[in-house]
């Protein structure tokens, strides 16, 4: 797991192919700021060599708040540590728990509605309409076609989704069913189920896991974990869970200062950031990030998982009756 304490950015301006260009690279360290600066200089020198050698090379690494899924270390403020687990503040201000071996997985289950039913309905309607209305004049035909399309497609598409949900169950119910099927087939596993605003969270408690293992990949596939999250786990060699509310769900519409919420920030911008964080912490006190629902399988908890469960449940408010956000 790579969540560095110290960050630096180095830049180098060169002339190449009759044009001037500036390359920038980040450096990081858990030892000191000086070590982070040395690492940044080393990486920008390597980038210059690649440019001079004719290799395709980005001039700068994107300043995004959370790019762990794409290989760079997680660039977030470290708020606290417990042994090898780290609590960070992400790019929009919420706290996230990062752990090298205690398995988390969020399963989002929002219904995207789907367009296929509406598209097929429109196609069928158009075919039928042409067959019956070819004798009508152009303007009148166009008006009737559009009016009929709106009514038929909207009504049929809504009925189709209603029937689908009655037969298959809601997306959230279907997601929980996948989790329960996995638990039923792996009774030796200990799994804690939490409800989140968009679906479910699973915390596996009976053992620790290698984030890059085939076992973890199979688990993610079985329960329907977000592929981007799965890629982050592999690249960063860790698991991760948001444990405080998203700001816009608790009435905070302005963004973490300064924008974007990347870390570190310059000393002169820290007061703005700290004021935003204080406001966020006040307003988030009456909300939880998830709610504990039930447990499956083995009641045995390994030492690492037991410690993470306590920390996760305390910070997230999972055992309270607060609104989930």
């Amino acid at each position: 797991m790579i969540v560095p304490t110290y960050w630096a950015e180095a830049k180098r301006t060169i002339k190449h192919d009759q044009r001037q260009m500036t390359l920038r690279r980040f450096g990081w360290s858990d030892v000191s700021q000086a070590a982070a600066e040395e690492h940044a200089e080393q990486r920008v020198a390597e980038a210059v060599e690649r440019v001079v050698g004719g290799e395709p090379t980005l001039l700068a690494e994107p300043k995004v708040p959370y790019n762990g899924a794409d290989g760079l270390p997680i660039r977030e403020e470290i708020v606290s540590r417990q042994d090898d687990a780290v609590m960070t503040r992400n790019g929009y201000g919420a706290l996230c728990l990062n752990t090298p071996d205690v398995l988390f997985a969020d399963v989002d289950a929002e219904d995207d509605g789907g367009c296929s039913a509406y598209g097929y309905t429109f196609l069928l309607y158009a075919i039928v309409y042409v067959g019956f209305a070819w004798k009508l004049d152009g303007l009148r035909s166009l008006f009737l076609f559009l009016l009929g399309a709106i009514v038929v497609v909207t009504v049929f598409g809504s009925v189709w989704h209603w029937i689908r949900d009655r037969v298959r169950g809601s997306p959230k119910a279907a997601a929980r069913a996948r989790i329960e099927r996995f638990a039923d087939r792996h009774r030796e596993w200990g799994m804690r189920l939490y409800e989140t605003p968009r679906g479910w969270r699973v915390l596996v408690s009976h053992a620790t896991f290698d984030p890059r293992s085939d076992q973890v990949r199979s688990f993610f596939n079985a329960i329907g974990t977000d592929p981007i999250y799965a890629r982050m786990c592999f690249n960063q060699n860790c698991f991760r869970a948001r444990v405080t509310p998203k700001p816009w769900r608790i009435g905070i519409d302005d963004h973490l200062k300064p924008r974007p919420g990347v870390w570190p920030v310059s000393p002169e911008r820290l007061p703005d950031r700290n004021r935003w964080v204080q406001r966020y912490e006040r307003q988030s006190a009456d909300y939880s990030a998830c709610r504990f629902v039930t447990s499956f399988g083995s009641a045995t908890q390994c030492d690492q998982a037991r410690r993470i469960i306590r920390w996760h449940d305390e910070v997230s408010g999972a055992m309270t009756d607060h609104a989930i956000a």
Side-chain angles (χ1 to χ4, degrees), residues 52 68 98 104 160 212:
V52 173
N98 306 271
F104 284 101
W160 168 260
R212 296 177 175 173

Side-chain angles (χ1 to χ4, degrees), residues 109-110 169-177 195-200:
E110 287 187 332
S170 69
K172 196 163 187 174
R176 178 165 177 169
E195 184 180 8
T196 66
R198 297 183 62 186
W200 309 99

